[in-house]
Amino acid sequence: MPRSIVTKVARASWRSLQISRKTRITSTPFAAASVLPRAIVPRFYSTAGPSGNIITPDKQPVQPKEDAAPSPVCAATELTDDQYHKLADLYMDRLVTHLEELQDEREDIDVEYSAGVLTVSFDDGIGTYVINKQPPNKQIWLSSPKSGPKRYDYVALGDGQNEKEGTAKGEWVYLRDKSTINQLFRDELQIDLSMPVGNYGEEEA
């Protein structure tokens, strides 16, 4: 084969090789880019509804809870020694008067009041109730043959805003179950004392 032909063939092969290299270099990045994963772009979603309420997974807005109304608190009223004795003596005198009137109507009841201690005895096997003042604790104590001992504190039923200064209505209350002596007599003996409530700091009119 003539030398000139060999030279032409060699040049053609060289050019073909150069073109092939350029094609691979320029096409490779695009080909590689086509198989690369897309960039992960974080997305933010609002959890608030149109009115600003929180949206739960079931798409229901959560309404804010209303504060429950506080339950009334039953607590003993602070009394001075003079106030305690005035209120306790007034109550005991009323209680004695009512039970003595009941004794006049019934033969099965015996009432005795001595040295600040009131005893009410029943002849039909019920037993004896004992009621007395307890100055150190500023309470009235009651012992029942049916339900046992109970301690009653004076609880004001008002804040005195509609009464004279330093006065408020109240009752002697067993704080554990919020019951009164009248309720105990009604529940255990079917006796309704029906006693009016005394006035805090005032004498009975």
Side-chain angles (χ1 to χ4, degrees), residues 29-50:
F30 295 99
S34 63
V35 297
L36 289 176
R38 294 183 178 179
I40 300 176
V41 179
R43 296 183 180 181
F44 300 94
Y45 298 92
S46 174
T47 58

Side-chain angles (χ1 to χ4, degrees), residues 11-24:
R11 288 179 179 177
S13 298
W14 174 256
R15 288 177 181 175
S16 177
L17 180 61
Q18 292 296 326
I19 293 172
S20 177
R21 288 180 178 178
K22 290 180 180 181
T23 302
R24 287 200 302 270

Side-chain angles (χ1 to χ4, degrees), residues 89-164:
D89 289 341
L90 181 62
Y91 183 83
M92 292 294 292
D93 289 342
R94 287 175 173 174
L95 189 59
V96 170
T97 299
H98 188 97
L99 291 174
E100 285 181 343
E101 292 177 354
L102 187 62
Q103 176 183 232
D104 294 338
E105 298 176 0
R106 295 174 51 173
E107 297 181 354
D108 61 332
I109 299 178
D110 181 64
V111 179
E112 182 178 352
Y113 186 49
S114 176
V117 178
L118 171 63
T119 58
V120 186
S121 302
F122 294 85
D123 296 337
D124 53 2
I126 294 177
T128 301
Y129 288 77
V130 180
I131 307 171
N132 62 276
K133 292 169 55 180
Q134 186 66 18
N137 304 90
K138 296 179 181 177
Q139 296 173 327
I140 291 178
W141 286 11
L142 181 147
S143 177
S144 165
K146 290 187 175 183
S147 57
K150 290 180 172 60
R151 302 181 180 187
Y152 294 83
D153 292 274
Y154 188 81
V155 176
L157 303 181
D159 56 10
Q161 293 180 358
N162 298 323
E163 306 290 338
K164 294 181 180 180

Side-chain angles (χ1 to χ4, degrees), residues 179-196:
S179 64
T180 64
I181 296 176
N182 188 26
Q183 290 174 327
L184 180 139
F185 270 78
R186 185 173 61 247
D187 294 342
E188 296 187 7
L189 301 168
Q190 290 74 51
I191 295 176
D192 188 359
L193 300 176
S194 299
M195 299 187 63

